[in-house]
Amino acid sequence: MTENTQQSKHSAPELPTQYTPADVEGPLYERWVERGYFEADEKSDKPPYTIVIPPPNVTGSLHLGHAFEHTLIDALTRRKRMQGYETLWQPGMDHAGIATQNVVERELAKEGVSRHDLGREAFVERVWQWKNESGGQISGQMRRLGDGVAWSRERFTMDEGLSKAVQTIFKRLYDDELIYRAERIINWCPRCLTAISDIEVEYQDDDGELVSIRYGEGDASIVVATTRAETMLGDTAVAVHPDDERYAHLVGTEIELPLTGRRIPVVADEHVDPEFGTGAVKVTPAHDPNDFEIGRRHGLANLAVLDERGVITAHGPFQGLDRFEARSAIVGALRAEGRIVAEKRPYTHSVGHCSRCKTTIEPRLSMQWWVKVGPLAQAAGDAVRDGKVAIHPKEMESRYFGWVDNLHDWCISRQLWWGHRIPVWYGPNGEVVCVGPDEEPPSGAGWHQDTDVLDTWFSSGLWPFSTLGWPERTPSVEKFYPNSVLVTGYDILFFWVARMMMFGLYAMDGTPPFHTIALHGMVRDQFGKKMSKSFGNAVNPLDWMDAYGSDAVRFTLARGANPGVDVPIGEEWVQGSRNFANKIWNATRFALMNGATVEGELPPAEALSATDRWILSRLNSVVAEVDEYYDDYQFAKLSDTLFHFAWDEVFDWYVELSKTTFMAGGPAADASRRVLGEVLDVTLRLLHPIVPFVTETLWTTLTGGESLVIAEWPADSGFRDAAAEQEIETVQQVVTEVRRFRSDQGLQPGQKVPARLDLSGTALAPHEAAMRALLRLQPAGDGFHATASLPIAGATVALDLSGAIDVEAERKRLTKDLAAAEKEKAQATAKLGNEAFLAKAPEKVVDKIRGRLGTAEADIERITAQLAALPQA
């Protein structure tokens, strides 16, 4: 192949001089979607690979946590698609009961109306209208990120198919006596006026007050401490530990409850910690979960004294007061009666708040619907213990078992209008009828449906199979269930993951919903602090995508993704990833301009230079490493491996070492152009799942292929050449050492100096031209005078610096630096030799001085070597 014909028909590029993500990403993504690359065919005979998107709330927008998780899932699915799997990444959104209802209620408030003014049916219709017009903006943002989801299969947890799934499983659980209705303590939001799940409670340290109150009189008195004095109106006992001798004479007696005129028993219960406080606790079964259990054990009455809005209902002077107003009033009344023994104010303690409206949560006794989780949780735990499901990283298993093995019955009812309404009807004579999806509900006078809706976790717990058409045994269910892996944050391991495990095993005949649970951490700022609007460190990933491109955001997130570990991220890291994308672009553009090609077979190894064999050997090692890291969900390691291979080995070494070969032309140049094409082809394939946009643009230009999305994933050919790798490592060592010497002598990077290279006895002779080009070394002509000689790895590099630097000025500078280093060493040595100083100084101070001594000694050694290498006068 001649110099004029060396480029293939695909290697005459029309790439712009700069990569501009905004010009590429949007049109490229739409082309992928239009061509159906992300769709999944249940009729395919390819092996299935299924992942569901953790359904984002319909009210939400893309935050960095979403972008992080979606990047990891997209990387997995893109790779598996390239490996020949029938890949389904299932998209969809959650109806987000409380969040969505709150959004629409706020919109109504602007119009001066409430949901009660509209009525239930009209309000629900209004929510659907909002969902269709304004909800789901996250879908467009997912496209910006490059999510390769099967959009034609997009589902919503309130759509018709999923509603049927919800009603079906509710009916089955009810018939199996695994769903029941009972009065229990729940988390209650006085603002949202509904029960909420544990995950919707945010705990924070609040300043309150701890008051110690004396109940009873004289020897028949007992002191209890509380942060919620207002609930004392509902006390029905005082509890002490059975072995606490201080109160043994009171157990079984009654004492007076202040302000109420009631007498309450003193009971002995092992739940009480005799070492905490006074060793006695007030028992308010209707307003505290622990007290409720004590009450059940001792047959105590449940006396509710707060209504659904947190207002006192107990008859007396405090009736009608808000709970916080009542707290102050009751403490004042107790103080007036001389019953306040001690007060601590402020008293900082952990208080639960509604994650939606930030209102303080009120534990409240309420009639609710519950799932009896015992047998379901047992199956969910056994599936992991028996190896049916693997949790990654494995150390997270203990947290999972700690949760499912101690799971309390799950409150599934919510006092909302937006959501899956509980399919239970009540009759005029106390009848209770649960209605399945294909059954007609009872009608007639006195019949009415339960007004509550189901917790959103109930419907999202069905997500791995309801999205595939269950309860019908659809072709999609047959093909794509169970999921291959679930990628999600460890923060919802207990809530969403556990519920999917319980429902999947129950509904799908003991088949768990996924083979592997791959847990990742939370995205934090560069200082490790949680991202929050209130902290002022929250980031809109779209802003970074606009500034640096989606690939840069994706690569930064993937490079920080160690399994189960939180991910710090800062804007400068995204800038660095943008620079990497630019490096890929510029290096590929250079390669194309110099004839890199993928046409024809690779030349046999014996026809290749050591440089070519080295890079092919390294390429195959990297393919194997990346596969290993992918299979272990080590996104950070695979990203780092690809970064250093592409930037350091391909672009900074192989391309540079090959330049002289390209300039020389001939068969060696043709072989290197084919090798360079091969290396770029494989490297772009390996990078594609994480940085899809820039790689797609470059790869299609390089190869003329249709799309990387459907290209074949690289395989390790097994080719290794240890000798070539050692040879190029020696070249790198020589070049690196000489570059360091040049820098130490103050030479500019582009400054040329005469040099003589003695490479006899080494394998470096074929690389002399490349080494000279990389080191800016001119031939040693007449008058050459070696002023510095560097023996490196068996070779000798002699340099003539006589005309390159001001030797006297450099000697003066180095001599001054040497004196300063020697002075620093003397001072540090003296301090470390002073026993009196060492006896008094803190360890941190001593360590700092030891560090100064080490630095000074290293500086002395370095400067002395530089002085010795200077030309003699």
Side-chain angles (χ1 to χ4, degrees):
M1 188 177 292
T2 67
E3 186 75 8
N4 293 329
T5 61
Q6 65 198 9
Q7 291 188 350
S8 74
K9 63 182 179 181
H10 299 309
S11 56
E14 293 296 332
L15 287 174
T17 55
Q18 286 186 318
Y19 176 54
T20 308
D23 295 342
V24 171
E25 293 174 352
L28 188 52
Y29 185 84
E30 290 309 313
R31 185 156 67 249
W32 290 334
V33 172
E34 289 167 7
R35 292 179 178 177
Y37 292 154
F38 304 139
E39 296 303 323
D41 182 6
E42 59 264 17
K43 298 177 182 177
S44 167
D45 57 2
K46 296 179 182 178
Y49 187 80
T50 314
I51 297 182
V52 295
I53 184 175
N57 288 353
V58 67
T59 59
S61 60
L62 194 75
H63 57 64
L64 266 180
H66 288 127
F68 172 56
E69 186 167 79
H70 290 201
T71 294
L72 305 187
I73 299 175
D74 197 39
L76 290 174
T77 54
R78 283 178 182 270
R79 171 177 176 254
K80 284 296 183 180
R81 190 179 293 111
M82 295 172 74
Q83 287 182 315
Y85 286 79
E86 191 62 35
T87 302
L88 169 60
W89 183 10
Q90 174 66 53
M93 285 180 291
D94 192 280
H95 64 278
I98 294 177
T100 306
Q101 181 157 315
N102 283 348
V103 167
V104 178
E105 285 198 78
R106 284 196 294 269
E107 293 295 315
L108 290 175
K110 296 175 184 177
E111 303 170 16
V113 297
S114 71
R115 63 181 167 111
H116 299 286
D117 295 327
L118 291 182
R120 183 171 192 139
E121 187 174 337
F123 175 76
V124 170
E125 182 60 35
R126 181 67 177 263
V127 180
W128 276 109
Q129 179 184 335
W130 174 87
K131 185 264 180 187
N132 294 331
E133 294 176 357
S134 307
Q137 62 172 311
I138 201 168
S139 295
Q141 296 165 344
M142 287 166 59
R143 286 174 158 84
R144 282 288 311 278
L145 187 64
D147 285 6
V149 300
W151 286 112
S152 70
R153 293 173 174 263
E154 187 174 12
R155 304 304 297 270
F156 180 54
T157 52
M158 285 282 286
D159 68 26
E160 184 177 351
L162 271 69
S163 295
K164 182 177 182 179
V166 168
Q167 200 171 351
T168 298
I169 200 162
F170 187 100
K171 171 70 171 174
R172 291 187 186 178
L173 289 165
Y174 182 87
D175 289 346
D176 287 343
E177 298 183 349
L178 293 173
I179 282 183
Y180 64 94
R181 192 170 185 242
E183 199 172 39
R184 298 281 189 274
I185 293 284
I186 43 87
N187 300 309
W188 182 264
C189 177
R191 155 61 182 78
C192 298
L193 299 180
T194 182
I196 64 174
S197 67
D198 291 339
I199 199 173
E200 292 165 321
V201 179
E202 293 179 348
Y203 287 91
Q204 65 184 47
D205 288 339
D206 286 357
D207 284 340
E209 58 181 347
L210 180 68
V211 295
S212 297
I213 309 167
R214 178 172 52 83
Y215 287 13
E217 302 292 344
D219 291 340
S221 67
I222 198 165
V223 175
V224 300
T226 182
T227 58
R228 303 174 67 222
E230 70 279 7
T231 64
M232 69 160 291
L233 300 177
D235 286 359
T236 55
V238 171
V240 298
H241 194 274
D243 299 331
D244 195 333
E245 295 181 358
R246 293 172 295 175
Y247 305 115
H249 66 290
L250 292 177
V251 174
T253 68
E254 292 186 342
I255 59 175
E256 182 183 346
L257 178 65
L259 306 181
T260 67
R262 289 192 291 114
R263 296 185 68 78
I264 58 176
V266 178
V267 300
D269 194 280
E270 292 190 351
H271 170 76
V272 180
D273 181 1
E275 303 299 323
F276 183 77
T278 64
V281 297
K282 59 190 287 297
V283 182
T284 321
H287 295 283
D288 183 274
N290 293 321
D291 292 3
F292 178 77
E293 295 302 325
I294 293 175
R296 291 179 65 178
R297 288 193 287 271
H298 297 277
L300 303 176
N302 299 319
L303 184 59
V305 295
L306 291 167
D307 69 8
E308 61 183 8
R309 297 183 183 276
V311 174
I312 297 292
T313 59
H315 182 69
F318 311 108
Q319 187 174 15
L321 293 180
D322 171 80
R323 52 185 169 157
F324 301 118
E325 296 172 333
R327 181 177 301 172
S328 178
I330 288 171
V331 170
L334 290 167
R335 190 183 298 113
E337 289 190 4
R339 292 194 173 274
I340 299 296
V341 176
E343 296 181 69
K344 186 174 182 180
R345 189 185 296 112
Y347 176 74
T348 303
H349 60 129
S350 182
V351 177
H353 295 260
C354 174
S355 63
R356 304 298 177 191
C357 67
K358 312 308 177 186
T359 301
T360 300
I361 290 301
E362 191 64 44
R364 184 168 187 259
L365 186 65
S366 179
M367 182 66 75
Q368 301 285 346
W369 284 94
W370 304 81
V371 172
K372 187 185 296 183
V373 299
L376 303 175
Q378 176 71 40
D382 290 346
V384 175
R385 289 188 180 91
D386 297 345
K388 291 182 180 178
V389 178
I391 293 181
H392 187 87
K394 190 173 178 60
E395 53 266 27
M396 286 285 183
E397 279 187 3
S398 59
R399 297 181 64 177
Y400 176 78
F401 292 136
W403 179 256
V404 297
D405 292 347
N406 299 284
L407 199 58
H408 297 296
D409 284 1
W410 169 22
C411 176
I412 56 172
S413 46
R414 299 290 180 266
Q415 290 64 55
L416 303 171
W417 287 356
W418 172 245
H420 294 281
R421 196 163 173 182
I422 289 177
V424 172
W425 271 255
Y426 304 105
N429 299 311
E431 301 96 334
V432 179
V433 177
C434 181
V435 177
D438 300 319
E439 300 171 352
E440 286 294 324
S443 58
W447 282 93
H448 64 279
Q449 187 177 358
D450 196 299
T451 57
D452 288 351
V453 300
L454 288 163
D455 178 11
T456 54
W457 295 106
F458 192 94
S459 50
S460 61
L462 312 180
W463 195 245
F465 49 93
S466 64
T467 52
L468 299 174
W470 186 90
E472 307 303 325
R473 203 74 189 183
T474 64
S476 288
V477 170
E478 296 288 348
K479 178 73 174 180
F480 295 115
Y481 187 90
N483 287 193
S484 305
V485 61
L486 173 74
V487 179
T488 192
Y490 64 70
D491 57 318
I492 56 173
L493 172 65
F494 311 137
F495 304 100
W496 187 45
V497 179
R499 281 150 176 73
M500 285 191 291
M501 285 285 283
M502 291 191 295
F503 281 167
L505 289 160
Y506 173 79
M508 304 301 287
D509 302 319
T511 302
F514 18 74
H515 298 302
T516 301
I517 301 168
L519 298 170
H520 59 71
M522 311 295 291
V523 177
R524 297 181 178 271
D525 70 12
Q526 67 233 59
F527 307 108
K529 190 174 182 180
K530 179 180 178 181
M531 284 192 173
S532 166
K533 290 180 181 178
S534 60
F535 294 156
N537 63 351
V539 174
N540 182 348
L542 295 177
D543 292 340
W544 283 354
M545 289 183 213
D546 290 341
Y548 309 111
S550 297
D551 284 332
V553 175
R554 290 170 61 114
F555 191 75
T556 305
L557 291 165
R559 203 173 178 194
N562 291 296
V565 179
D566 287 347
V567 183
I569 184 172
E571 186 168 3
E572 63 271 27
W573 302 339
V574 186
Q575 293 171 351
S577 295
R578 184 268 318 274
N579 295 343
F580 179 51
N582 288 342
K583 182 78 170 182
I584 299 170
W585 182 272
N586 292 333
T588 305
R589 184 171 178 272
F590 167 84
L592 289 167
M593 291 172 65
N594 282 272
T597 181
V598 297
E599 290 206 342
E601 295 294 323
L602 276 172
E606 57 270 19
L608 297 176
S609 69
T611 305
D612 291 335
R613 297 196 308 276
W614 159 71
I615 198 63
L616 290 174
S617 180
R618 287 293 304 127
L619 179 69
N620 280 286
S621 294
V622 167
V623 169
E625 287 176 38
V626 168
D627 277 335
E628 182 178 336
Y629 288 141
Y630 260 118
D631 292 340
D632 199 34
Y633 305 100
Q634 297 279 0
F635 295 98
K637 289 182 178 179
L638 73 89
S639 300
D640 215 46
T641 296
L642 288 170
F643 174 86
H644 288 294
F645 175 70
W647 191 307
D648 300 343
E649 297 186 78
V650 178
F651 303 146
D652 280 358
W653 282 107
Y654 180 71
V655 169
E656 293 298 322
L657 287 170
S658 300
K659 283 182 178 179
T660 53
T661 305
F662 293 152
M663 291 176 64
D670 291 340
S672 291
R673 290 186 180 99
R674 179 64 187 89
V675 170
L676 180 54
E678 182 76 10
V679 171
L680 288 175
D681 175 15
V682 174
T683 301
L684 292 170
R685 291 175 195 249
L686 292 173
L687 282 166
H688 176 73
I690 297 175
V691 285
F693 295 107
V694 66
T695 53
E696 172 87 337
T697 306
L698 294 173
W699 185 85
T700 52
T701 303
L702 169 70
T703 69
E706 181 182 342
S707 173
L708 262 178
V709 180
I710 55 172
E712 187 175 345
W713 182 254
D716 175 9
S717 71
F719 175 76
R720 301 289 190 279
D721 192 325
E725 290 194 36
Q726 181 60 54
E727 185 172 321
I728 300 305
E729 284 177 13
T730 304
V731 172
Q732 292 171 329
Q733 182 182 355
V734 172
V735 171
T736 300
E737 288 298 322
V738 175
R739 280 175 171 169
R740 183 180 294 115
F741 176 79
R742 286 175 55 106
S743 176
D744 289 342
Q745 299 305 314
L747 295 176
Q748 296 300 313
Q751 191 172 355
K752 295 182 178 180
V753 295
R756 180 178 292 122
L757 275 63
D758 181 1
L759 306 178
S760 58
T762 74
L764 301 179
H767 307 286
E768 179 171 354
M771 292 165 65
R772 283 185 175 276
L774 289 169
L775 291 169
R776 305 294 191 269
L777 302 180
Q778 295 175 323
D782 294 340
F784 176 82
H785 175 60
T787 59
S789 183
L790 306 176
I792 309 168
T796 301
V797 179
L799 303 171
D800 183 354
L801 304 180
S802 56
I805 60 174
D806 185 333
V807 176
E808 282 308 309
E810 186 65 11
R811 181 174 283 113
K812 286 181 181 179
R813 182 184 72 80
L814 291 172
T815 301
K816 182 179 178 181
D817 290 347
L818 180 61
E822 289 173 336
K823 181 179 179 181
E824 176 71 6
K825 176 184 176 181
Q827 291 175 341
T829 301
K831 283 191 175 182
L832 293 173
N834 186 334
E835 295 295 335
F837 169 77
L838 294 176
K840 295 179 181 179
E843 188 62 30
K844 286 184 178 180
V845 173
V846 176
D847 286 343
K848 186 175 182 181
I849 293 173
R850 289 194 183 106
R852 285 168 48 192
L853 175 61
T855 300
E857 289 174 338
D859 286 345
I860 290 169
E861 182 178 354
R862 174 179 56 81
I863 297 168
T864 301
Q866 289 176 244
L867 281 167
L870 284 175
Q872 298 301 310

